[in-house]
Amino acid sequence: MKTLFVLEFKKLAKKRMNIIVIAVCLVLVGLLFALPVKQFIVLNTEGEQIMGTAAIAMERDFENAYAGELTNERITSDIAAYQALFDDPANVSQDSDTKALSKTAYFKHFFPYIDYWKLINGNYVAASTYDSSFSAITNMNLEDGVDFYAARDKKVSTMLNYSYADWNFSDSEKAFWQNRVSSVKTPYEYGYHAGWKLLLSCMELFVVGILGICICVSGTFSGEYQSGAASVILSSRYGKSKLVKAKIFAAFVYSLSAFTLFILVGCGIQLAAFGVDGWNLPIQVLSSIAPYRMSLLSAALIAVATLYLILLGMVSFTLLLSAKMKSSVPVLVMIILVSILPMFLGISETSGIWNRILVLLPYRATQPVFSDEFIGYFGYPLGGMTFDIVTVRMIVYAVIMLVCIPFARRAWKKHQVA
């Protein structure tokens, strides 16, 4: 068995097409993850664009200016300081019909810290809504202070009770998500977290690597049919037993090895550039109503674990197609369609069933939803229980792997030798 595995692994690793595909994917992953670093832009207090490493250093200083626990007292004080800016006529824009800061005051006192203010102001506006004028904090009555976390709970309740045509949250789902939000530790901790924020937003780019690996293993069985080697292999002593296990095991080891290289390159580039500062901050620094009790590091690790399961599920599906089809071409066509098609399909505002299926498809499933104020609350009721989308994605692709592999082995064994 060991010798067969080594031979099958070498066959995959030394195949010229596979080497080219992995090399191209590695370069693409490197470029795609390096591009946001190179193009990272920060506007300084004069409104001037700063790019690259200087921008990252400046962003660290800006975000750390508001570092610390987000207690109600601290948030009240920060909003009061912001509102006080409007008391000075020199800070108020004369060209706007609404209450707004002048350009000079905006870039000096507000815009450099806009991620912080998006978090605070966003807690008081409807889910998935962006208040570009920041009117919520601008017009807030601070006479009795603010209760940031009570406002969070109210926002969650409003969202869960909103009517989405023929799609509504059931009572059990509402209770599930409200309990989830209530279990999140408060007060939140805030600080510099640009690297983790960017990394989580780029996870879907790893679909390039998943697709490339599937291309490499697509000929595991169909390649033997095309070359005519299957006639010899299947009639040999271990052709239908040990060899098929060796082929599948080699495909998995090869896939995991290649994908680990992609992960190290992609994540390594961004974390090396931005640093790992903020790894212990809660995911709620990205959205105050995020219903997951985890740190940014935990969210990134879960996202990577999900990617690995998607990879294994897709590789298993590819092996099944390869075992059933006599040519690699239709295998490649189907894999590309399954991987890329969801990219062009949109979320529905009326159909909950469609949405819950769509976000489980390969491309969509690579997108972390921990801080998404809409998709992050997708639940899957089953047997009186509700499962969150993150858990369901992992289960689905694990099941796909466990189902496809036995059928792939069976298809190979039942192939008719000419």
Side-chain angles (χ1 to χ4, degrees):
M1 176 67 179
K2 182 179 179 181
T3 302
L4 292 173
F5 161 74
V6 172
L7 289 173
E8 290 298 325
F9 183 83
K10 286 183 177 180
K11 188 187 296 184
L12 286 169
K14 293 184 176 182
K15 189 176 181 180
R16 181 176 297 179
M17 186 194 78
N18 289 2
I19 294 174
I20 293 173
V21 169
I22 295 300
V24 170
C25 289
L26 188 61
V27 171
L28 282 175
V29 167
L31 290 175
L32 291 171
F33 277 84
L35 200 58
V37 176
K38 185 179 179 181
Q39 295 182 338
F40 189 74
I41 298 175
V42 169
L43 299 183
N44 63 17
T45 53
E46 281 75 44
E48 301 170 336
Q49 285 191 358
I50 308 297
M51 298 182 67
T53 54
I56 294 172
M58 188 172 292
E59 180 71 6
R60 180 181 283 105
D61 292 338
F62 287 154
E63 289 195 351
N64 280 333
Y66 283 93
E69 286 190 345
L70 299 183
T71 61
N72 287 323
E73 294 75 20
R74 182 274 183 75
I75 293 172
T76 302
S77 176
D78 288 344
I79 296 176
Y82 164 69
Q83 292 182 349
L85 293 173
F86 294 91
D87 296 336
D88 185 348
N91 291 332
V92 181
S93 174
Q94 304 301 318
D95 302 323
S96 175
D97 295 331
T98 58
K99 193 175 181 181
L101 294 173
S102 66
K103 183 177 179 180
T104 300
Y106 180 75
F107 284 110
K108 183 177 181 180
H109 301 292
F110 186 79
F111 189 79
Y113 318 104
I114 197 164
D115 281 346
Y116 173 73
W117 290 118
K118 282 181 180 178
L119 176 67
I120 302 303
N121 189 78
N123 195 57
Y124 297 92
V125 298
S128 301
T129 300
Y130 179 54
D131 177 16
S132 59
S133 64
F134 291 85
S135 59
I137 57 172
T138 302
N139 303 315
M140 187 175 292
N141 185 347
L142 300 177
E143 186 176 344
D144 298 320
V146 300
D147 192 332
F148 184 80
Y149 301 99
R152 175 203 66 177
D153 294 341
K154 182 179 178 181
K155 178 176 179 177
V156 171
S157 179
T158 300
M159 181 186 69
L160 293 176
N161 285 287
Y162 186 77
S163 178
Y164 298 88
D166 63 340
W167 174 31
N168 298 290
F169 290 96
S170 66
D171 291 339
S172 61
E173 286 180 283
K174 292 176 186 178
F176 173 81
W177 289 119
Q178 287 170 338
N179 289 335
R180 273 291 189 87
V181 172
S182 299
S183 70
V184 174
K185 181 183 177 182
T186 59
Y188 301 155
E189 185 82 18
Y190 189 83
Y192 171 73
H193 59 277
W196 297 101
K197 178 181 178 180
L198 186 63
L199 181 61
L200 287 170
S201 69
C202 290
M203 286 293 182
E204 65 198 64
L205 299 176
F206 282 117
V207 74
V208 171
I210 294 175
L211 183 57
I213 290 170
C214 288
I215 291 173
C216 292
V217 302
S218 63
T220 299
F221 296 111
S222 59
E224 307 289 15
Y225 302 151
Q226 285 179 279
S227 66
S231 300
V232 178
I233 294 173
L234 287 168
S235 60
S236 64
R237 182 179 180 183
Y238 299 116
K240 294 184 178 182
S241 55
K242 292 184 179 180
L243 182 60
V244 66
K245 294 179 182 178
K247 280 182 172 292
I248 293 171
F249 188 42
F252 279 139
V253 173
Y254 175 81
S255 300
L256 291 171
S257 300
F259 195 66
T260 298
L261 184 60
F262 297 149
I263 292 290
L264 291 175
V265 170
C267 296
I269 288 174
Q270 293 195 349
L271 292 180
F274 286 91
V276 297
D277 306 46
W279 63 270
N280 57 335
L281 295 177
I283 195 70
Q284 284 70 31
V285 297
L286 303 182
S287 170
S288 64
I289 66 170
Y292 298 91
R293 184 173 181 174
M294 62 180 66
S295 65
L296 292 173
L297 174 60
S298 298
L301 291 175
I302 291 173
V304 170
T306 303
L307 286 170
Y308 271 104
L309 284 170
I310 294 171
L311 169 72
L312 294 175
M314 289 300 294
V315 167
S316 301
F317 181 58
T318 303
L319 292 175
L320 174 59
L321 294 176
S322 181
K324 282 187 167 292
M325 298 181 178
K326 296 182 179 181
S327 171
S328 300
V329 176
V331 177
L332 293 176
V333 171
M334 290 191 67
I335 289 299
I336 291 173
L337 286 176
V338 170
S339 300
I340 303 300
L341 187 59
M343 188 185 303
F344 305 99
L345 303 176
I347 294 292
S348 170
E349 295 183 1
T350 59
S351 177
I353 296 176
W354 164 257
N355 289 334
R356 284 172 170 82
I357 294 174
L358 179 62
V359 295
L360 295 178
L361 298 180
Y363 175 74
R364 290 280 186 173
T366 61
Q367 301 172 329
V369 295
F370 305 109
S371 60
D372 193 296
E373 292 189 348
F374 184 60
I375 301 176
Y377 277 80
F378 280 9
Y380 294 80
L382 182 64
M385 300 176 64
T386 299
F387 297 89
D388 61 71
I389 182 176
V390 179
T391 302
V392 171
R393 281 175 172 175
M394 299 179 82
I395 292 173
V396 164
Y397 283 93
V399 170
I400 289 174
M401 177 184 65
L402 294 174
V403 169
C404 287
I405 292 306
F407 281 103
R409 291 177 59 185
R410 184 179 178 183
W412 168 257
K413 291 177 180 180
K414 289 193 171 185
H415 180 73
Q416 297 298 315
V417 179

